[in-house]
DNA sequence: TATTATGCCTAGAAACTCTAAGTAAATACA
DNA sequence: TGTATTTACTTAGAGTTTCTAGGCATAATA
């Protein structure tokens, strides 16, 4: 298997929103979760993830809250907002439209009027 | 339907190779074909398409040949090369791996060991 | 004759990812 | 106890790809 995370370009936002819709997470956790769940396929680099989270927060799609652990360590948990939910719903349909369009290209004449 | 061609980022190469595998085409035709077949979804801008074709040609995945029409107009037809075929085969499996990984993220616990 | 369609090309801005580094503290291990 | 690893976040800069926006030239059409 050859991981090609560059296929993610443009849809990493959706992926992050999707994850955070399932449960709030902090950056480091997201990196680990994505790798674990995708069986090593997705390896978000920190230089990719954190700026992405910051962009999403600045856009109001997620909000981050610092949390201090008993051991003194700090984490920034991100929560999806109402605006984020709406955006995700939109992006889901956009993804489906995209895949539909792709299919039309890849299978010419399948059901073209 | 909201077209989001930015979802294409990183996979426009595959899309072009796919098209040219079906039949050789020239740039202007590709723009029209993509729009027609995808029912208006894909609207490759010329500023995107031509540099992409040049990149593919420089990489040896396609070759372009000028053709003069009887009316004096010229077209540059692009043909997929053997190297291009191989690359496309690879990218197809990469796409499937990508979609598989995506599914694992979007449907957590579906079949995780 | 003027407009539209055909057909190609490119420069520069914008967006996103990666590399690569830094900062800091807790934990594991020898 | 000292060192390495893990946890956890941040950012600067380079590279890639797309879009905007324009240019050039000829043929068909109104």
């Amino acid at each position: 298997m050859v991981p090609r995370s560059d296929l993610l370009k443009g849809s990493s936002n959706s992926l992050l929103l999707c994850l955070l819709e399932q449960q709030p997470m902090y950056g480091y956790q997201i990196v680990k979760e994505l790798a674990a769940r995708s069986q090593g396929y997705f390896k978000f680099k920190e230089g990719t993830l954190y700026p992405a989270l910051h962009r999403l927060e600045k856009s109001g799609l997620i909000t981050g809250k610092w949390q201090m652990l008993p051991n003194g360590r700090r984490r920034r948990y991100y929560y999806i907002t109402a605006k984020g939910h709406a955006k995700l719903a939109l992006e889901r349909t956009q993804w489906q439209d995209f895949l539909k369009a792709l299919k039309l290209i890849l299978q010419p004449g399948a059901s073209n009027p």
Side-chain angles (χ1 to χ4, degrees), chain A residues 8-67:
Chain A
L8 204 56
K9 270 174 194 171
S11 43
S12 67
N13 281 1
S14 312
L15 189 57
L16 290 177
L17 289 179
C18 248
L19 257 194
L20 295 178
E21 189 187 47
Q22 292 169 26
Q23 63 173 298
M25 287 186 176
Y26 56 98
Y28 194 80
Q29 182 186 13
I30 292 177
V31 172
K32 300 297 175 192
E33 273 286 315
L34 280 178
R37 285 205 209 169
S38 67
Q39 299 174 2
Y41 187 93
F42 289 121
K43 289 181 182 165
F44 258 70
K45 312 303 175 191
E46 301 192 328
T48 305
L49 177 68
Y50 287 108
L53 289 174
H54 299 165
R55 275 197 306 276
L56 287 174
E57 186 170 26
K58 194 179 281 182
S59 307
L61 304 176
I62 63 177
T63 49
K65 287 173 192 161
W66 284 109
Q67 233 169 68

Side-chain angles (χ1 to χ4, degrees), chain A residues 102-113:
Chain A
L102 252 192
K103 226 177 236 178
L104 287 173
I105 300 296
L106 304 186
Q107 306 167 354
S111 65
N112 298 19

